[in-house]
Amino acid sequence: MGSRFDNLNLLTEEQLNLVHEKSIKLLSTVGFKFIHQEVVEIFKSHGFKTDQDTVFFNEESINQAIETVGNRFTLLARNPKYNIKFDMNTFSPGIGGGATWIVDADNTCRPATMEDAINCMKLAQMLEQVETWRPLLCPMDIKGSLNPPWLAFQSVLRTDKPHHYTSHQELDIIRIGYGVTRETMKKDAEKGLSYGQSSVNVISPLTLATSQCETLLEYVRYGVVFNLAPMPSGSTTAPITLPAEIIQQNAENLAPLVLCQLLKPGMPILYGTIGSHTDMRNMATIFGSPETRILEYAAAQMARHYNMLSRGGVGMTDSPCSDFQAGAESMFQFINVARAGINFLPGMGHLGSFMGGSLAKLVLDAELVDYSKRFMKPLEFTEDSMATDLIEKVGPGGNFIAEPHTLKHCRSEYTVPSVFVRENYDTWTKKDYPTAMQLAADKAEKLLEQYEQPEIDPEIKKDLEHYMKKNYEL
């Protein structure tokens, strides 16, 4: 019978406009809840209708926010060579965050420790494919309230790539690490410079909690660019049908966007594309399914419809270990987000629907970054690359193995993996049957042995240690 290619572009222009219209209707009739009195007062002062902590929007206010939001900035790292210039064509993968357990090379699972978290930082520093730092693992052997500041402090010491805040309370730790003041952050934000970046998490449906309102206000105040991160889950925190969830997720991006643009018109904000759904058999939240990829792609289309930067993810899988399922679901997402044009892409190293992390999986995901970037690299049809004169020269029945043209391009035309196996069966068996997972675990171990801590100004380190001693029981 065959299947039809009916969704190569997924949403049509008519459907994009329909999602926008339905989102406006939701926000004007149902409204959006901001559980923070100062935020509600800000909306009141701009003439918005409110009912206790619910704010109601009109089409004009939403369209104005879409028109003013910025879509380019430079994400700063402690080491300037790792700075990232974001615009609509940027594809930037980074490490995942928030996992509470770790999967070792033998696929055994255990609670993450401080040592695991530090090893993850070291590996992220060593892998060039990891462009942005985020705490993949939350160690369970440290008091919960000390977890974020400890991770922030350690990350400043262990890596000099761009930082992802887990809380606005880390702001002073990070800005000390950059060697700047809060006032400098404000001034540099006006130049399109952001000292790290973060997320503001919407609670579905249609709510921004007190802590996230405070986080948003603080980031806007100091020009820390962030992504909006609604995570509706179809059939539990969003309707079960995909079009309905696409509309709800869009509304959950638009309402906080309006607040940001009221406070600081032109500030870049990233549209969140990380909706999911619930498996009704066991109530698990699913991130590796075809439906999740559809939600992701549709959200990416909405972001581009608004000319907004976007945040997605890479390497997401529901598998608890690095098996065939994990590889298939991870690669599925890598290609989907690359084709969709999503800009900021944390997620490398994750297993088990965000709950698990693995150093070997981080290495495997780095391999997928190389595959994806090669896949997305435009072809250049030059006389040299077309090589029709060479085809004529060799002619029917010949071969190209010894041609200078082959030697010229053999190291650059094709991707050479570092851990994926490309040997015949006999050669493979003579090497004692190594799998990609085993080779990735070996590579992770070697990189940790080779790790060198990046340089940090002694005065900055001293200031950091003084700040941590003064404010936290570390």
Side-chain angles (χ1 to χ4, degrees):
M1 291 175 59
S3 298
R4 290 175 54 81
F5 287 119
D6 287 335
N7 65 339
L8 289 177
N9 293 314
L10 197 58
L11 300 184
T12 65
E13 189 69 23
E14 180 181 356
Q15 290 169 331
L16 291 168
N17 289 326
L18 187 61
V19 170
H20 180 65
E21 292 167 11
K22 293 294 185 182
S23 301
I24 291 174
K25 184 177 180 182
L26 271 180
L27 293 173
S28 63
T29 58
V30 177
F32 190 98
K33 183 177 288 190
F34 293 89
I35 310 177
H36 196 282
Q37 190 57 42
E38 180 184 347
V39 168
V40 174
E41 292 300 324
I42 290 170
F43 279 112
K44 282 184 179 180
S45 68
H46 285 84
F48 284 73
K49 176 186 173 183
T50 65
D51 181 4
Q52 297 183 37
D53 52 13
T54 299
V55 178
F56 300 90
F57 297 78
N58 57 43
E59 183 175 5
E60 182 182 0
S61 65
I62 292 171
N63 288 340
Q64 180 64 29
I66 293 168
E67 289 174 8
T68 59
V69 63
N71 61 11
R72 59 180 64 236
F73 70 99
T74 299
L75 179 59
L76 299 173
R78 280 207 306 112
N79 186 338
K81 79 174 184 178
Y82 294 125
N83 290 353
I84 303 171
K85 291 185 177 181
F86 273 92
D87 58 31
M88 293 297 289
N89 293 317
T90 302
F91 173 94
S92 183
I95 199 167
T100 56
W101 45 268
I102 186 168
V103 181
D104 288 320
D106 60 359
N107 281 334
T108 57
C109 173
R110 57 182 174 78
T113 66
M114 290 187 283
E115 182 181 1
D116 294 323
I118 288 174
N119 282 338
C120 186
M121 296 175 195
K122 292 178 178 179
L123 194 55
Q125 177 70 13
M126 294 295 288
L127 289 167
E128 64 179 23
Q129 297 90 343
V130 177
E131 296 186 2
T132 56
W133 159 252
R134 191 181 181 202
L136 175 64
L137 300 171
C138 289
M140 297 291 99
D141 55 348
I142 185 173
K143 186 178 177 181
S145 61
L146 297 179
N147 208 310
W150 181 85
L151 286 167
F153 172 64
Q154 292 294 334
S155 71
V156 172
L157 299 180
R158 312 285 178 178
T159 178
D160 54 5
K161 295 182 179 181
H163 183 82
H164 181 100
Y165 300 79
T166 59
S167 164
H168 71 273
Q169 295 170 334
E170 301 169 20
L171 194 145
D172 280 317
I173 300 172
I174 303 307
R175 63 105 186 145
I176 292 171
Y178 280 95
V180 298
T181 64
R182 289 190 173 218
E183 195 59 35
T184 299
M185 294 178 73
K186 281 185 179 181
K187 292 179 179 178
D188 285 349
E190 300 300 321
K191 305 172 188 175
L193 307 176
S194 181
Y195 289 90
Q197 49 80 45
S198 191
S199 301
V200 170
N201 299 297
V202 174
I203 297 176
S204 298
L206 302 166
T207 303
L208 201 63
T210 302
S211 64
Q212 293 303 295
C213 287
E214 291 173 353
T215 292
L216 183 151
L217 293 173
E218 192 77 347
Y219 290 155
V220 170
R221 190 173 292 121
Y222 294 102
V224 176
V225 174
F226 57 89
N227 63 81
L228 297 167
M231 298 180 70
S233 186
S235 75
T236 52
T237 61
I240 195 169
T241 51
L242 296 181
E245 186 171 355
I246 291 166
I247 291 167
Q248 180 181 310
Q249 181 172 250
N250 191 59
E252 290 174 345
N253 273 285
L254 291 177
L257 172 66
V258 172
L259 173 60
C260 298
Q261 296 306 299
L262 289 176
L263 294 169
K264 186 173 286 188
M267 181 173 176
I269 305 294
L270 281 70
Y271 185 108
T273 70
I274 51 178
S276 61
H277 67 91
T278 304
D279 189 325
M280 299 297 287
R281 299 171 302 174
N282 56 18
M283 302 310 291
T285 304
I286 303 303
F287 292 95
S289 69
E291 292 77 20
T292 308
R293 301 287 75 79
I294 292 169
L295 291 168
E296 180 177 71
Y297 201 104
Q301 281 191 268
M302 289 307 303
R304 288 194 167 262
H305 185 64
Y306 296 144
N307 202 28
M308 284 183 66
L309 295 168
S310 55
R311 174 264 167 100
V314 286
M316 283 292 104
T317 176
D318 302 310
S319 175
C321 65
S322 294
D323 58 1
F324 180 88
Q325 177 188 341
E329 291 177 343
S330 296
M331 191 74 249
F332 189 6
Q333 186 179 35
F334 266 98
I335 295 303
N336 195 58
V337 298
R339 280 297 191 200
I342 300 176
N343 307 108
F344 172 54
L345 297 161
M348 296 170 66
H350 265 305
L351 288 168
S353 307
F354 276 109
M355 297 305 295
S358 163
L359 300 186
K361 174 65 159 49
L362 182 52
V363 172
L364 291 167
D365 283 340
E367 201 94 298
L368 299 187
V369 170
D370 289 339
Y371 271 52
S372 302
K373 287 191 172 183
R374 180 63 183 93
F375 181 65
M376 294 303 296
K377 185 179 179 180
L379 294 176
E380 296 182 1
F381 281 77
T382 64
E383 289 299 321
D384 181 60
S385 68
M386 292 186 291
T388 51
D389 56 342
L390 179 59
I391 299 172
E392 293 173 4
K393 172 191 167 187
V394 172
N399 75 73
F400 300 85
I401 190 69
E403 293 294 330
H405 183 269
T406 301
L407 297 176
K408 174 184 176 183
H409 293 284
C410 68
R411 297 182 187 277
S412 59
E413 188 68 9
Y414 300 138
T415 300
V416 179
S418 65
V419 295
F420 287 178
V421 179
R422 286 184 177 177
E423 295 174 326
N424 63 45
Y425 187 84
D426 288 339
T427 303
W428 180 63
T429 57
K430 290 175 183 177
K431 293 184 177 181
D432 200 24
Y433 310 92
T435 64
M437 173 63 180
Q438 292 165 345
L439 293 170
D442 291 344
K443 181 175 178 178
E445 188 175 333
K446 290 178 182 177
L447 288 174
L448 290 176
E449 291 172 356
Q450 297 167 4
Y451 170 82
E452 294 183 6
Q453 192 164 324
E455 293 183 4
I456 186 167
D457 187 297
E459 288 300 315
I460 288 178
K461 184 178 180 182
K462 183 179 177 180
D463 289 344
L464 274 171
E465 291 171 344
H466 174 75
Y467 178 86
M468 297 302 292
K469 184 177 180 180
K470 178 182 178 182
N471 292 279
Y472 301 101
E473 298 175 11
L474 293 177

